[in-house]
Each structure stands twice: as structure tokens, then as C-alpha cells.
Amino acid sequence: MKKMIALFLVIVTLMGIGITALADSRVTWNNHAYQVCIDRGTWAQANAKCKKAGGHLVTITSAAEQKFIFKQIKKHKGETFWLGLKKSGDNWVWVTGEDVTYTNWAVYQPDGEYDANRGAIYTTTEDWGMKPGKWDDCHESWDIVCYICEWDKIPVESITLNKTKATIKKGKTLKLWVKTIKPSNAADMSVKWKTSNKKVATVDQNGKVKAVGKGTCTITCMAKDGSKVTAKVKITVK
């Protein structure tokens, strides 16, 4: 009984966590990155989470991309996923502004039932004609749908520096550098540097730290690609 209660608490806890805990690993295809998120909510909520992460709800613009996306979601049987597809007047448009030149609607879809105005992709078979991988039109307010994020340029996921902390004497310098950036095929691997306290230590855009005054500060290395990924070094000046 205690095990059942513990399991229930774990499940409830996970249900309240966002994109990182209930998401598949990020994958890349054709110089784009994708992430399947098992996180139910409305279309607007899903779209906002993708935007906050630097991407957008997925757009599927070819049969090859459709095949790739379905391969990522088919293991999540019973789930439905928002696409970045919405109705504008009488037309369907992608959130990125791309032309809708490819579609994979289920039979008799889109039908506009319940004032449906957003696109979704299924992993289930339904008696009204839906088959796994096909698209359906859903109302934007439905909160039983998960989502897929896409990044048009592969973003940085992590930065590792040569140090995590260092102690230097006033007036001395220290060189910091990037050991690794992952993934190795990130579109923009450039970084910028900043200090939390110029009165303790300064840093130039080559990672050269100069100790100015006694105390502690943090040197931050940030990816320039908009992913907001950082690595930090604690500097102590004596």
C-alpha cells in the first residue's frame, strides 16, 4: 500500500513539472531540432512554451519530415500533439509564416467540428477514420493535447568551461575558455562573457579575467544563439 501511495505521489509530482521533466530528448533532422513534450495544455500554452525555449510549435512541410515526426511520437500511444498549424479566416497557416504546401489530414478532415481551428497529429486509431500519424483539426482551448517544439537552427544545449571556480591575486589575470559546446552541430557556437562585479574582476570577450579588488564574483559565459545557455565560474580575489 505504501509503495502504491509513493508511486502516486511521484506521478502527481511529475504531472506538475513542465517541458524538461516530461519531454523526450531533443533530436535533430535536416539541420532542425525537435522535442516531443508530454505536457498537456491548450494550443496557446504549448505555443508559448516553445517560444520561451527559443523555438516554435512544429511545422511539417514535407512527407519526409512527417515520417520523421511520426517516428518520434508513435511510442506515445494514446497521445495527441499540437502542431504549429492554425486557421486564419478560411485558410490554414503555419505559425512560422511558411506556406502550407503539404498536409496529412485524416479522412474527412479538417471538418471544423466544434469550431476547430488548430491542427494536431494523432498516435491513435479512432472509429471515425483517424489513423496514427494523421492530422485532425481541434479547438485551441482543448487541454488534453501534448505538443512538439521545433528549432529552425539547432540551439546550444550545454557549455563546459576549463574551470568552475578559481582563486587569483589582485592585479593578476586568468584565462578562461570553452572546453565543449553541445551539441557539436549547434548552428551558432559563439559565446559572450560578463562579470557580476567589475570591482572584483573584469573579463574581456576572449575570456581573459583580471583581478581588480578583493572579494568574490561570478564570471558568466553565455551562448549567443538566443538559447540562454550559460556556464559560470566563481572567482575569488585575494
Side-chain angles (χ1 to χ4, degrees):
M1 183 65 178
K2 289 182 179 179
K3 288 183 178 179
M4 291 179 65
I5 292 173
L7 178 60
F8 174 76
L9 290 174
V10 169
I11 292 172
V12 169
T13 301
L14 287 175
M15 287 177 68
I17 298 174
I19 184 171
T20 53
L22 293 177
D24 289 352
S25 298
R26 193 174 294 179
V27 293
T28 60
W29 178 82
N30 198 29
N31 293 321
H32 286 221
Y34 304 81
Q35 191 164 28
V36 175
C37 303
I38 312 303
D39 184 15
R40 295 175 184 82
T42 65
W43 188 90
Q45 289 170 337
N47 191 41
K49 289 176 182 178
C50 289
K51 282 185 175 181
K52 186 176 181 181
H56 55 79
L57 279 172
V58 68
T59 65
I60 302 178
T61 57
S62 68
E65 190 172 17
Q66 162 70 28
K67 183 178 180 180
F68 172 80
I69 292 299
F70 181 59
K71 182 179 179 181
Q72 309 311 311
I73 67 171
K74 65 181 181 180
K75 63 183 177 182
H76 299 293
K77 295 180 179 179
E79 299 290 0
T80 304
F81 296 87
W82 289 121
L83 302 175
L85 188 61
K86 61 181 181 177
K87 200 168 186 181
S88 177
D90 293 329
N91 300 314
W92 287 91
V93 298
W94 291 114
V95 290
T96 57
E98 295 169 273
D99 292 336
V100 181
T101 57
Y102 170 84
T103 60
N104 196 43
W105 296 109
V107 62
Y108 305 127
Q109 301 303 319
D111 61 5
E113 189 175 17
Y114 306 114
D115 295 324
N117 56 3
R118 297 292 187 270
I121 184 171
Y122 277 56
T123 62
T124 60
T125 298
E126 305 292 346
D127 58 10
W128 44 267
M130 172 57 69
K131 294 182 180 180
K134 292 293 184 179
W135 305 358
D136 184 25
D137 56 341
C138 304
H139 194 272
E140 61 187 313
S141 65
W142 293 358
D143 62 0
I144 57 172
V145 185
C146 300
Y147 60 99
I148 309 158
C149 289
E150 178 181 357
W151 292 262
D152 294 333
K153 294 182 178 180
I154 298 173
V156 171
E157 294 182 15
S158 69
I159 299 172
T160 303
L161 302 178
N162 62 314
K163 294 182 181 293
T164 57
K165 60 182 179 180
T167 299
I168 52 179
K169 292 182 179 180
K170 181 179 176 181
K172 298 295 183 179
T173 61
L174 172 72
K175 177 65 174 177
L176 299 177
W177 69 85
V178 175
K179 289 178 66 177
T180 59
I181 290 181
K182 294 183 178 179
S184 59
N185 60 343
D188 182 357
M189 302 180 80
S190 58
V191 299
K192 58 184 177 181
W193 300 84
K194 69 176 183 178
T195 179
S196 64
N197 191 337
K198 292 181 179 180
K199 293 182 178 180
V200 175
T202 61
V203 62
D204 67 18
Q205 292 310 303
N206 294 312
K208 183 179 179 180
V209 178
K210 182 177 181 180
V212 178
K214 293 182 178 180
T216 60
C217 69
T218 300
I219 302 297
T220 300
C221 176
M222 177 180 286
K224 283 185 175 182
D225 68 347
S227 62
K228 299 181 181 179
V229 172
T230 62
K232 299 179 184 293
V233 181
K234 182 180 179 181
I235 298 294
T236 301
V237 177
K238 291 186 175 182

